[in-house]
């Protein structure tokens, strides 16, 4: 089963081609994206192929296009004042991620059921990053791990902490976050794969879904809902690895840890930290969860302060002591496995 067609038509050839190239490079985009730089070629293509989404500039839009059998048409606006065309508008001169986000928002309103190839047969690895000990540089490690793995794999990072601090840390304002996806999945059946595309962000090659803004949003989600969400992501998106940056506030935490292929657990060697670890291990034994302990790798990530004026924060991790630690760890794991 082939992916559905997402057509981009703009008389500015370089824009149409660059946007199309970017969207196709994002292998998790659930469409095959085709570029058109004139109306004639688009018309010819549409008569022989079914177009699911058409993103077309105002200068290219015409009556001939209106008559084509296209499921969803969205206008690529340059900000000019235009009369109501009867189609939703997306501003042309913004990031490609934001364009895709808005297009998927419009699309999911009318198409709750996904019409794309299921990737359920693909084995996505789940890597959990968790520690019962506080202040262990867990998130710094998880981000560095994700960025480095994403150099050669398709990787998604999910943060389940009550307070991730991402908006302040990375100086961004998120339109939506992971709690919106959970709310969406509660309200309607199907279509989550498209909704994800309207929320997802990137750190270079690493994709991530913005963490929940409110701690209550994390605590309110059941373990069953988290697992169902992860299953749908793995069924319909082409990831090699999903990294779960977990916290104690996640409902049914041990059940989620059981689903992980590998668990990285940052630890410290002081007396209090060791006492917490003993209690955690004792609890695993009481609950007959030795399998969780068997796939847990205790690690000692280095201390690496980040500097606001030192440039890209995640790249500071990747090319600093933390990155060196992660690369060495991954190399040792590969050596042990064969």
């Amino acid at each position: 089963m082939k992916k559905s067609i997402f057509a981009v038509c703009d008389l500015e050839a370089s824009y149409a081609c660059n946007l199309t190239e970017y969207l196709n490079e994002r292998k998790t985009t659930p469409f095959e994206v085709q570029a058109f730089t004139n109306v004639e070629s688009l018309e010819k293509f549409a008569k022989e192929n079914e177009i699911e989404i058409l993103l077309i500039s105002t200068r290219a839009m015409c009556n001939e296009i209106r008559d084509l059998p296209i499921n969803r048409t969205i206008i690529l606006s340059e900000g000019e004042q235009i009369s109501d065309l009867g189609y939703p508008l997306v501003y042309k001169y913004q990031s490609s991620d934001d364009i895709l986000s808005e297009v998927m928002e419009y699309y999911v309103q009318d198409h709750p059921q996904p019409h794309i190839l299921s990737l359920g047969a693909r084995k996505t690895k789940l890597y959990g990053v968790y520690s019962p000990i506080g202040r262990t540089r867990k998130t710094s490690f998880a981000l560095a791990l994700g960025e480095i793995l994403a150099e050669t794999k398709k990787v998604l990072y999910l943060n389940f902490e009550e307070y991730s601090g991402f908006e302040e840390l990375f100086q961004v304002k998120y339109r939506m976050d992971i709690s919106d996806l959970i709310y969406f999945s509660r309200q309607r059946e199907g279509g989550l794969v498209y909704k994800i595309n309207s929320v997802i962000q990137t750190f270079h090659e690493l994709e991530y879904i913005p963490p929940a803004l409110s701690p209550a949003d994390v605590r309110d989600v059941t373990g069953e809902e988290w697992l169902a969400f992860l299953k749908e992501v793995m069924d319909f998106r082409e990831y090699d690895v999903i990294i779960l940056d977990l916290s104690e506030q996640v409902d049914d935490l041990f059940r989620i840890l059981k689903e992980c292929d590998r668990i990285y657990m940052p630890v410290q060697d002081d007396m209090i930290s060791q006492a917490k670890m003993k209690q955690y291990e004792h609890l695993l034994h009481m609950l007959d969860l030795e399998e969780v302990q068997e796939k847990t790798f205790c690690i000692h990530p280095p201390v690496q302060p980040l500097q606001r004026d030192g440039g890209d924060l995640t790249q500071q991790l990747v090319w600093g002591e933390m990155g060196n630690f992660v690369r060495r760890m991954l190399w040792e794991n590969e050596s042990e496995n064969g």
Side-chain angles (χ1 to χ4, degrees):
M1 180 178 174
K2 293 180 63 178
K3 288 185 177 182
S4 299
I5 301 296
F6 177 171
V8 177
C9 183
D10 194 315
L11 303 183
E12 186 181 340
S14 60
Y15 181 91
C17 293
N18 288 337
L19 178 60
T20 299
E21 181 180 5
Y22 175 79
L23 295 179
N24 277 324
E25 283 179 353
R26 283 186 56 163
K27 294 180 181 179
T28 51
T29 302
F31 296 93
E32 177 186 337
V33 188
Q34 297 272 0
F36 299 90
T37 58
N38 59 73
V39 172
E40 292 75 18
S41 61
L42 175 61
E43 282 187 277
K44 181 178 179 181
F45 181 87
K47 290 174 181 177
E48 300 174 357
N49 302 272
E50 181 178 354
I51 296 178
E52 189 70 19
I53 300 176
L54 171 63
L55 181 62
I56 184 169
S57 67
T58 50
R59 288 188 294 159
M61 189 62 185
C62 59
N63 289 330
E64 288 77 10
I65 298 299
R66 291 178 180 273
D67 295 334
L68 294 175
I70 296 171
N71 289 333
R72 187 51 149 155
T73 299
I74 299 169
I75 303 298
L76 196 57
S77 167
E78 297 185 13
E80 68 272 39
Q81 294 294 322
I82 56 176
S83 58
D84 185 13
L85 296 174
Y87 301 108
L89 303 177
V90 169
Y91 181 57
K92 178 177 179 177
Y93 300 112
Q94 59 179 322
S95 73
S96 299
D97 282 341
D98 287 341
I99 290 174
L100 179 61
S101 173
E102 292 186 28
V103 168
M104 290 296 103
E105 272 290 288
Y106 287 127
Y107 183 74
V108 77
Q109 293 172 10
D110 299 327
H111 297 79
Q113 295 298 335
H115 302 290
I116 62 172
L117 174 65
S118 174
L119 299 173
R122 182 186 180 91
K123 176 57 177 173
T124 302
K125 296 291 186 182
L126 279 182
Y127 289 173
V129 182
Y130 169 72
S131 179
I133 304 169
R135 305 295 296 172
T136 58
R137 301 169 291 282
K138 176 175 67 71
T139 294
S140 294
F141 167 81
L143 286 171
L145 175 65
E147 284 260 39
I148 290 169
L149 287 175
E151 293 172 357
T152 57
K153 304 177 185 294
K154 295 300 297 182
V155 184
L156 176 69
Y157 167 86
L158 299 176
N159 184 296
F160 295 86
E161 294 184 306
E162 285 188 293
Y163 293 97
S164 69
F166 273 27
E167 287 196 339
E168 174 64 25
L169 189 61
F170 299 107
Q171 297 295 290
V172 296
K173 186 70 175 177
Y174 298 118
R175 293 172 54 246
M176 291 178 287
D177 58 44
I178 196 169
S179 61
D180 293 291
L181 295 178
I182 296 297
Y183 178 79
F184 176 86
S185 65
R186 287 171 175 168
Q187 298 303 309
R188 58 196 298 177
E189 188 173 337
L192 181 63
V193 62
Y194 301 124
K195 186 70 173 179
I196 289 173
N197 275 278
S198 70
V199 179
I200 207 155
Q201 303 286 320
T202 58
F203 292 128
H204 309 99
E205 299 301 319
L206 173 65
E207 296 190 357
Y208 73 101
I209 294 172
L213 177 62
S214 169
D217 291 337
V218 177
R219 293 192 295 265
D220 188 46
V221 182
T222 67
E224 194 71 33
E225 287 177 313
W226 285 129
L227 291 172
F229 171 76
L230 288 171
K231 182 181 184 305
E232 188 152 5
V233 172
M234 289 189 286
D235 280 348
F236 290 99
R237 295 181 66 84
E238 194 176 346
Y239 289 114
D240 298 304
V241 178
I242 298 178
I243 295 174
L244 311 179
D245 190 347
L246 297 162
S247 74
E248 290 84 358
Q249 302 305 318
V250 177
D251 182 68
D252 218 348
L253 173 64
F254 288 131
R255 185 177 175 189
I256 294 174
L257 288 173
K258 281 181 64 176
E259 294 298 321
C260 292
D261 297 281
R262 180 176 294 235
I263 301 162
Y264 292 108
M265 182 168 289
V267 296
Q268 298 186 47
D269 293 329
D270 62 279
M271 184 182 299
I272 294 177
S273 297
Q274 289 299 306
K276 291 181 178 182
M277 279 298 301
K278 289 292 184 182
Q279 180 181 347
Y280 171 78
E281 291 168 356
H282 180 59
L283 182 58
L284 290 181
H285 179 71
M286 290 177 57
L287 297 174
D288 291 325
L289 290 173
E290 280 81 2
E291 62 181 292
V292 171
Q293 191 165 358
E294 288 171 0
K295 56 188 174 184
T296 296
F297 296 80
C298 291
I299 57 175
H300 294 77
V303 177
Q304 183 187 335
L306 298 177
Q307 303 296 328
R308 177 68 68 188
D309 58 357
D312 189 302
L313 295 182
T314 60
Q315 288 297 286
Q316 288 184 48
L317 291 171
V318 168
W319 299 109
E321 289 183 67
M322 186 66 76
N324 292 336
F325 172 83
V326 170
R327 286 191 174 86
R328 184 169 58 252
M329 180 196 73
L330 292 174
W331 181 83
E332 290 173 352
N333 289 343
E334 289 180 2
S335 298
E336 291 173 1
N337 293 331

